[in-house]
Amino acid sequence: MRLEPIINPSLARSLLPPAIALGATVIIASLLAMVAGANPFSVIGLILSGAFGSQFALLETLNRATPLIFTGLAVAVAFRAKFWNIGAEAQLYAGALLTVMLGTGVLPWPSIALLPTLIVFSILAGAVVLLIPALLKTRFGVDEVVTTLLFNFIFLLFISMLLEGPLKDPMGMGWPKSARLIDEARLPRLVDGLRLHWGFGLAILSAICIWVIQTRSTLGYEMRAVGLNKQAAAFAGIPVNRVLVKTALLSGGLAALAGFSEVAGVKASLTLDLSPGFGYTGIIVAMLALLHPLGVIIAALFVAGIFVGADSMSRAAGVPTYLADIMLATALLLMVLAIMLTRFRVVRN
């Protein structure tokens, strides 16, 4: 048996394998719920109602999806150009770091000036963090998977040092956290009394902008060409290394916006548990979305719904929330297989 590339896959060929992958994920989750002694239909119903069954649940799911849209976009942009950015977690914390450094009173500006400034500096921070692995790759051929992954650990240790030292809040009762943002640096709420904030609107706008860049700009064309075949792109006159560096800057900036939105919209201060792994989950989001910027929105809502719904389901049915992690891991593995089947057909020799 061998794999044969499919030149122009039909619409059904493109959509059917991912749909089967998601259906198989639900079936596997149902079987695991049965093993745990719960009714699988009840468990799936509890997850759906816990994620989308009320206004509070829906807004909480949108709130959880906000950082996932940013990190999913960051991964999707990089992966489209075959730049394997595994370090969205470090870039997220870089954006959060600049937000608290400038938003705790250093710049006593009104919101209309301060918030755009924080966004710009957060983007720059994330871009600079990913610029180093990009230069190491383009100048010396260093594998970016290793460097971006190691940067996650290095940057978390750096943040830990800052929170135990110069950034430690003297009013924090000894806890390692930064001072709180001033009110002018906080993102307004979309709904009074609930946690959903305007970072969600910024995430949707970012996804649309990335879609426009990828489909309507020269940079988007060059990124897709480099991702499809670097040698062919170079033969056509595209500066491959320059495109990779631009892709890295864009990807790092997007991931940093996740840190900005979490600090300015939810937490108000920087702590080591700011992210429960949004950077790594962004890889799952991007793969579920087939690296499409608008698909990232749907995939992020799917992943956020599983997490939020699993919390509610666990309280009601007594099934561990680890079921959500298993569902996401299964969905990722099956989606990778589905992507392969959309691009290749199995042929018997």
Side-chain angles (χ1 to χ4, degrees):
M1 299 177 66
R2 58 187 172 82
L3 295 176
E4 184 176 271
I6 301 174
I7 305 302
N8 292 313
S10 64
L11 181 62
R13 181 92 190 187
S14 300
L15 297 180
L16 192 57
I20 293 175
L22 292 179
T25 300
V26 174
I27 293 173
I28 293 173
S30 301
L31 294 175
L32 291 174
M34 289 179 64
V35 172
N39 185 329
F41 297 104
S42 173
V43 166
I44 299 300
L46 287 171
I47 291 177
L48 290 176
S49 64
F52 308 104
S54 65
Q55 183 195 35
F56 175 81
L58 177 60
L59 295 181
E60 190 61 24
T61 298
L62 297 180
N63 183 57
R64 183 73 72 93
T66 300
L68 295 179
I69 294 175
F70 285 124
T71 55
L73 285 173
V75 174
V77 165
F79 281 20
R80 178 67 72 184
K82 294 288 193 296
F83 183 86
W84 310 113
N85 176 19
I86 314 297
E89 193 80 357
Q91 296 134 36
L92 180 153
Y93 275 96
L97 177 60
L98 262 290
T99 302
V100 297
M101 287 179 68
L102 300 177
T104 50
V106 175
L107 302 176
W109 297 348
S111 296
I112 194 170
L114 184 56
L115 283 175
T117 303
L118 294 180
I119 290 174
V120 170
F121 276 91
S122 296
I123 292 173
L124 290 176
V128 168
V129 169
L130 194 51
L131 178 63
I132 299 171
L135 293 177
L136 290 173
K137 175 184 176 64
T138 54
R139 295 296 180 92
F140 305 107
V142 179
D143 190 344
E144 74 274 20
V145 173
V146 176
T147 52
T148 54
L149 181 62
L150 290 179
F151 256 78
N152 290 336
F153 304 104
I154 294 171
F155 215 82
L156 274 174
L157 290 172
F158 178 61
I159 294 291
S160 177
M161 182 196 72
L162 292 178
L163 292 180
E164 292 286 358
L167 283 185
K168 189 172 185 177
D169 182 9
M171 306 297 290
M173 307 291 288
W175 291 99
K177 68 174 189 176
S178 72
R180 291 179 64 82
L181 297 182
I182 59 176
D183 291 342
E184 289 78 6
R186 300 295 306 277
L187 283 168
R189 305 286 179 184
L190 276 171
V191 179
D192 288 338
L194 295 176
R195 297 202 307 166
L196 186 62
H197 52 83
W198 276 100
F200 179 72
L202 181 63
I204 300 296
L205 180 62
S206 300
I208 296 173
C209 289
I210 294 301
W211 176 73
V212 171
I213 290 174
Q214 288 193 337
T215 58
R216 300 286 190 274
S217 72
T218 303
L219 176 61
Y221 169 77
E222 291 177 339
M223 289 164 61
R224 283 184 282 120
V226 170
L228 289 172
N229 192 312
K230 288 181 183 177
Q231 288 74 23
F235 184 77
I238 295 175
V240 174
N241 286 343
R242 194 181 304 170
V243 171
L244 285 176
V245 171
K246 290 179 181 177
T247 301
L249 295 177
L250 183 58
S251 176
L254 285 167
L257 283 178
F260 161 77
S261 71
E262 281 300 285
V263 172
V266 183
K267 303 289 187 180
S269 60
L270 176 58
T271 58
L272 269 182
D273 61 352
L274 175 70
S275 167
F278 290 133
Y280 300 107
T281 311
I283 298 173
I284 299 176
V285 171
M287 297 304 293
L288 291 178
L290 304 180
L291 306 184
H292 193 290
L294 301 183
V296 164
I297 299 173
I298 300 173
L301 290 174
F302 171 75
V303 173
I306 288 179
F307 279 126
V308 175
D311 291 338
S312 175
M313 176 273 300
S314 180
R315 291 191 296 270
V319 176
T321 55
Y322 295 122
L323 181 65
D325 298 325
I326 296 174
M327 287 182 70
L328 291 179
T330 305
L332 177 62
L333 293 174
L334 294 178
M335 190 58 69
V336 170
L337 178 62
I339 293 172
M340 187 193 73
L341 292 177
T342 60
R343 297 177 181 176
F344 299 90
R345 66 168 59 90
V346 180
V347 179
R348 289 186 176 180
N349 290 325

